[in-house]
Amino acid sequence: MRDPYEVLGLPRGASAAAIKSAYRKLAKKFHPDANKNDPKAAARFAELNTANEIIGDEDKRKQFDRGEIDAEGKPRFQGFPGGGFGGGFSSGDPRGRAGGFETHTFRTGPGAGGFGGGGFEDILSGIFGGRGRGPGPQFETEDIGSAIRGQDVTANATITLNEAAHGGTRRLELPIGKEIEFKIPVGIADGKQIRLKGQGMPAPHGGPPGDVLVTVSIAPHPLFTRAGPDLRLELPITLYEAVLGGKVRVPTLDGAVELAIPPGTNAGRTFRLKGKGFPAKDGTGDLLATVRIMLPEGGDAELEALMRKWRDGKPYDPRKGTG
């Protein structure tokens, strides 16, 4: 994984606004839905999302800048206070402490001192009762070990809006180096967590393994924005479609559909396409398409002449009454 600043094309001192702007620009450019014929677009898009998860988050950015996590968000080993195991203990302290640790000497064999002269196994037996050693309740050390559960592993995954709407499967490399595959539920919300039972760290002494907790983030879509279960879309139309009306193709998460534009449609008018939004518990939302009138690129002499004729012969004031 490359340096996240390099991925977003930014210097280390970039502002939060610059990071957000660079990510949105590049995410729109490399989004898989906009580059279906480019096999490298998905990998580039995933790299962008990972970079944004690191330096787009204030806390993670500070951790990365301090060298506490790497470019994939994995923790870097920092060692122990006082120089680690090799130089962190000193016999000069009467209590055997250095760097906040207390030291004790355990001896084994006949006549060994410390904790009544027994070995380390005898100490455990004295605490837990041992197997046939001394008074007190008799516990098997295997029984204690089997009750210990392995640690859970947390991970983050960025998915597309289409994956969130339709579900699917995704492979993910965990911070511990293990690769897993998980299912994306249909209609999953941004920030939701998926629990994978038994996929976490193994437990000592044969205990049950931990789980994997995957927090899902939905990447920005180049066309749609979420409004609860509804989706919003800016729909560009031509000037003659606005004046004369016509049928235009409207993109949805399930493919393009036709929409009839009535004659005399003004910019800003919103059309509601029932059931073309995002899946939710109460049913699929709607798609709200807001019209944006686009003039031809580069200008047009005939259009300009016609508009001057209209301005001089049929003037009107659409802002009348607005002050």
Side-chain angles (χ1 to χ4, degrees):
M1 174 70 187
R2 293 187 294 155
D3 186 294
Y5 290 100
E6 180 184 344
V7 173
L8 294 176
L10 296 170
R12 284 189 171 262
S15 66
I19 293 172
K20 183 177 181 180
S21 176
Y23 169 70
R24 286 186 175 274
K25 181 179 178 181
L26 292 172
K28 186 174 183 179
K29 179 180 179 182
F30 291 102
H31 196 285
D33 291 343
N35 298 271
K36 294 182 179 179
N37 296 324
D38 184 359
K40 295 182 180 180
R44 175 71 168 140
F45 185 69
E47 186 181 44
L48 283 171
N49 285 318
T50 302
N52 185 59
E53 286 176 4
I54 299 299
I55 64 172
D57 180 278
E58 183 179 354
D59 293 333
K60 288 184 180 179
R61 182 183 183 182
K62 290 178 181 178
Q63 288 180 303
F64 177 77
D65 290 345
R66 291 195 298 262
E68 297 172 3
I69 60 175
D70 62 16
E72 296 181 359
K74 299 177 182 178
R76 288 192 174 106
F77 180 69
Q78 299 294 326
F80 291 91
F85 288 107
F89 297 93
S90 170
S91 58
D93 190 309
R95 290 170 293 176
R97 298 186 304 177
F101 294 94
E102 291 197 13
T103 60
H104 299 280
T105 301
F106 299 98
R107 298 192 181 96
T108 59
F115 290 92
F120 187 68
E121 291 182 1
D122 293 330
I123 296 169
L124 290 180
S125 337
I127 296 172
F128 298 115
R131 189 163 28 180
R133 296 186 182 181
Q138 302 298 307
F139 295 100
E140 297 283 350
T141 55
E142 290 83 3
D143 293 340
I144 298 168
S146 63
I148 300 175
R149 184 173 169 274
Q151 288 186 342
D152 291 340
V153 177
T154 58
N156 298 311
T158 301
I159 64 175
T160 66
L161 185 63
N162 293 68
E163 288 177 314
H166 299 125
T169 59
R170 178 69 83 87
R171 295 196 69 80
L172 176 68
E173 185 176 350
L174 300 176
I176 57 176
K178 177 182 177 182
E179 193 175 75
I180 59 166
E181 185 174 86
F182 67 95
K183 289 185 177 181
I184 303 170
V186 173
I188 189 171
D190 186 67
K192 286 293 185 181
Q193 203 171 63
I194 299 173
R195 180 181 291 271
L196 307 175
K197 291 282 189 180
Q199 297 292 315
M201 295 290 287
H205 307 294
D211 302 335
V212 170
L213 306 175
V214 182
T215 301
V216 171
S217 299
I218 301 176
H221 195 278
L223 299 177
F224 305 113
T225 56
R226 291 276 306 275
D230 295 333
L231 296 177
R232 290 190 175 275
L233 165 73
E234 281 195 352
L235 180 64
I237 65 173
T238 64
L239 179 60
Y240 51 82
E241 286 170 334
V243 174
L244 305 175
K247 291 184 177 181
V248 299
R249 290 176 63 81
V250 180
T252 75
L253 291 178
D254 299 315
V257 298
E258 278 195 343
L259 173 67
I261 302 293
T265 294
N266 286 317
R269 180 172 177 178
T270 298
F271 296 88
R272 182 181 293 271
L273 283 70
K274 289 284 189 181
K276 295 299 180 181
F278 194 81
K281 290 182 179 179
D282 301 329
T284 303
D286 302 331
L287 174 63
L288 306 177
T290 300
V291 167
R292 185 159 56 110
I293 298 173
M294 303 292 293
L295 298 178
E297 294 183 4
D300 184 277
E302 291 184 17
L303 178 61
E304 291 173 5
L306 176 61
M307 290 300 102
R308 279 192 290 269
K309 182 178 179 180
W310 266 80
R311 180 191 62 192
D312 298 338
K314 299 181 179 180
Y316 67 100
D317 185 5
R319 294 174 294 279
K320 186 177 180 181
T322 59

